[in-house]
Amino acid sequence: MEKKEQFTSRWALLLATLGMAIGAGNIWRFPRLAGQYGGAFLIPWAIFLILWSIPLLMVEFSLGKETRKGPVGAFAAFLGKNYTWMGGFVCLCTSAIMFYYSVVTGWALKYFTAAAVGDLAGANHQEFWESFIASGYQPILFHLLALGVAGVIIYRGIVNGIERANRILLPALFVLLVIGAARSLTLPNAAEGLNYFFGFHHANIFDYKMWLEALSQSAWSTGAGWGLVLTYAVYARRREDVTLNAFITGFGNNSASLFAGLAIIPAVFSLAPAIGRAPLDILKEGNEGLSFIFIPQLFEKLPGGQIMSALFFLALFFAALTSLIAMLELATRMFMDFGIRRQKSLPIVIIVTALLGLPSALSLKFFKNQDWVWGLGLIISGSFFAFGVIRSGVKRFREKFLLAEYNDLRIGAWFDGIMKYLIPLEAVALLVWWFNREWDAQMWWNPLSPFSLVTCFFQWGIVMAILILVNKQLYRLLTRQSV
Amino acid sequence: MLETSAMVMMALILGTIWGGLAYFVNRAYRREKREAQGGSDE
């Protein structure tokens, strides 16, 4: 049997979990939402860090460290063999995101290289983006390149691969964000952006949509309930802290979001008039529109704008890559729990990801459908973790895992209330609101319509039905020797 | 010119999130240092 892999220190584990949490969503979604709602958005966003993300991160840290298995094995070990399928859903949901996330990582890599060699200078950015996406071979090529880079890192294992990569990528990402924020804040009229970013708009604080957007940002950005922290915790030291590490991961993720906001929002307010657009119109563009069309267009107006664009896309690439690494490790860990060695599991994961990422690389419509279906699926994944804790007894869970002597922070009864009542309530509210927001009276029933109600239930239903059908076989696979 | 309300909000949010991170990291650092002095926990 191979020697079990383990992170060499607490800091190595934390860099990996922070790398997992800080992704494209921090850089392209947070500034967009914060810019739309202004400073009032920051209040619920900070509140939901405590009311959703950190409790779930603590659960994931605990289960991974206790069971020493990825989500499939952890659910089977923790809840019993009848619940193996739940871990399977968590695993497949995050893997489905990985298929298109690899494409997004490829976009960032493409734009970094284009900015670095000067291809973006003077380009019509709308046309540049559209011709890149429509070219077919280019998004595929960069999807495969991004996957290849992440694959090489995972192949080298926990210490030589993931730990070493995050030791370089994460500090580099923070340095890039700080440089971006410093440049943005020294632009003329940057204060106008700050006034909007931190300005408290009273009307918005009672806007329930803003609260739900803040919840969704907190849920997706921190990676809570994705099974990724659980996967990294498999390699934690035996007496590793759970509670303080969850707080550092959550607060570290939100700190990176604030840096991204400081790098983007003042720059948008300062430079938007130069391209004849209102700053708020730019911030209301979708994620891809803001990052790949307007950011290069705005930075072009700066002296040394090409360098700023290259640094921005390098930061986006690093952020996406460290998250992609975590997703690949989760899928690889699943096969390792089935008794297949890392060196054999990884090629299977890479080939499947390369193939299943192709439709998203070729079609933005397909990409958006997958983002909608599996992004929402994460709320179900998070609920499964809460279900697991509720079923095992919330107080018992807290006493066993969160009040253990190796934890630096003592977690009080507030955790019980959040797990038992708030997380289920938040999950239901988020799903109902999201479906309502995208409700289309004509197309809701059509599974082929990208944002229909039925496309979600259809895809989740297929995955769940298959997993429930093969639940016994999954469990049997787990009882083989894990490596 | 930065408005007062934005300044207050900025201090509140950056203080909570960045200050919180600094506090938790410092706490973890002190714990690691203590444990290193007392021997490995593995």
Side-chain angles (χ1 to χ4, degrees), chain A residues 18-185:
Chain A
L18 280 169
M20 172 286 295
I22 302 166
N26 297 65
I27 296 179
W28 75 7
R29 192 167 187 266
F30 172 79
R32 188 169 64 76
L33 290 176
Q36 270 180 52
Y37 291 106
F41 174 82
L42 299 172
I43 294 173
W45 168 77
I47 289 174
F48 285 123
L49 178 66
I50 306 294
L51 298 187
W52 174 281
S53 304
I54 287 177
L56 285 176
L57 288 173
M58 287 194 279
V59 172
E60 286 204 38
F61 266 120
S62 304
L63 292 187
K65 193 163 78 86
E66 169 77 6
T67 64
R68 299 287 167 184
K69 289 190 187 303
V72 183
F75 270 81
F78 185 64
L79 282 175
K81 65 179 176 185
N82 290 341
Y83 296 93
T84 311
W85 67 272
M86 278 191 175
F89 183 84
V90 172
C91 224
L92 287 186
C93 186
T94 302
S95 299
I97 290 172
M98 171 176 72
F99 302 147
Y100 67 80
Y101 201 83
S102 172
V103 175
V104 173
T105 314
W107 293 348
L109 180 59
K110 156 75 188 177
Y111 265 70
F112 164 64
T113 53
V117 299
D119 282 357
L120 290 182
N124 178 325
H125 296 286
Q126 181 81 38
E127 277 174 18
F128 190 93
W129 167 248
E130 282 168 5
S131 66
F132 164 62
I133 289 297
S135 70
Y137 78 94
Q138 282 202 63
I140 293 175
L141 176 70
F142 282 95
H143 153 59
L144 297 178
L145 274 174
L147 195 55
V149 173
V152 167
I153 292 167
I154 300 279
Y155 188 83
R156 295 169 66 87
I158 294 298
V159 177
N160 291 325
I162 295 173
E163 186 174 318
R164 222 179 250 184
N166 278 300
R167 273 182 199 275
I168 299 165
L169 293 172
L170 200 74
L173 172 61
F174 267 95
V175 169
L176 290 171
L177 289 175
V178 171
I179 292 172
R183 183 68 190 102
S184 177
L185 289 170

Side-chain angles (χ1 to χ4, degrees), chain A residues 10-11 39 42-43 191 194-195 198 237-239 244 247-248 251-252 255 258-259 405-406 408-409, chain B residues 1-3 5-6 9-10 13-14 16-18 20-21 24-25 27-29 31-32 34-35 41-42:
Chain A
R10 177 185 208 159
W11 307 113
L42 299 172
I43 294 173
L194 284 180
N195 282 335
F198 293 104
R237 296 174 304 174
R238 192 168 46 84
R239 291 172 56 78
L244 189 54
F247 273 84
I248 292 175
F251 276 74
S255 295
L258 287 172
F259 273 119
E405 42 91 26
Y406 48 73
D408 210 19
L409 290 179
Chain B
M1 181 79 181
L2 205 54
E3 290 164 9
S5 64
M9 187 69 162
M10 189 154 76
I13 291 293
L14 296 185
T16 307
I17 302 294
W18 289 356
L21 177 66
F24 294 129
V25 169
R27 205 165 159 159
Y29 172 75
R31 166 97 180 214
E32 290 303 301
R34 218 169 39 237
E35 284 185 355
D41 72 340
E42 287 301 304

Side-chain angles (χ1 to χ4, degrees), chain A residues 169-338:
Chain A
L169 293 172
L170 200 74
L173 172 61
F174 267 95
V175 169
L176 290 171
L177 289 175
V178 171
I179 292 172
R183 183 68 190 102
S184 177
L185 289 170
T186 49
L187 290 171
N189 296 327
E192 212 182 309
L194 284 180
N195 282 335
Y196 199 81
F197 188 20
F198 293 104
F200 191 82
H201 306 277
H202 295 275
N204 282 342
I205 200 72
F206 300 111
D207 182 352
Y208 77 96
K209 282 183 276 182
M210 186 192 72
W211 282 78
L212 288 162
E213 288 276 25
L215 170 58
S216 71
Q217 177 63 20
S218 194
W220 289 322
S221 169
T222 52
W226 295 47
L228 297 169
V229 163
L230 183 153
T231 304
Y232 278 160
V234 170
Y235 310 106
R237 296 174 304 174
R238 192 168 46 84
R239 291 172 56 78
E240 188 61 82
D241 184 300
V242 162
T243 55
L244 189 54
N245 284 354
F247 273 84
I248 292 175
T249 305
F251 276 74
N253 172 75
N254 281 23
S255 295
S257 292
L258 287 172
F259 273 119
L262 289 172
I264 290 174
I265 296 172
V268 169
F269 273 79
S270 173
L271 300 170
I275 61 166
R277 294 288 300 258
L280 288 183
D281 287 350
I282 292 177
L283 289 169
K284 281 176 185 160
E285 286 291 332
N287 294 333
E288 305 92 71
L290 174 64
S291 297
F292 297 110
I293 298 168
F294 286 107
I295 292 287
Q297 205 174 336
L298 291 173
F299 284 163
E300 210 165 67
K301 302 293 169 199
L302 284 174
Q306 195 181 323
I307 297 170
M308 279 302 290
S309 284
L311 292 180
F312 170 79
F313 289 113
L314 187 62
L316 187 63
F317 174 61
F318 281 177
L321 180 65
T322 49
S323 302
L324 180 63
I325 289 169
M327 293 179 203
L328 272 180
E329 178 59 27
L330 173 139
T332 307
R333 183 69 239 175
M334 181 184 75
F335 286 104
M336 290 169 74
D337 288 342
F338 293 157

Side-chain angles (χ1 to χ4, degrees), chain A residues 338-353:
Chain A
F338 293 157
I340 304 169
R341 290 174 60 231
R342 175 180 294 278
Q343 284 72 11
K344 284 188 179 167
S345 301
L346 184 64
I348 301 171
V349 174
I350 294 279
I351 291 168
V352 171
T353 308

Side-chain angles (χ1 to χ4, degrees), chain A residues 50-51 55 58 389 394-399 402-403 409-422:
Chain A
I50 306 294
L51 298 187
M58 287 194 279
V389 176
V394 181
K395 193 168 174 225
R396 213 163 58 108
F397 181 93
R398 180 166 59 88
E399 284 169 354
L402 309 183
L403 294 177
L409 290 179
R410 315 292 290 170
I411 302 300
W414 60 269
F415 173 87
D416 304 3
I418 289 176
M419 222 17 91
K420 258 197 261 185
Y421 307 112
L422 266 180

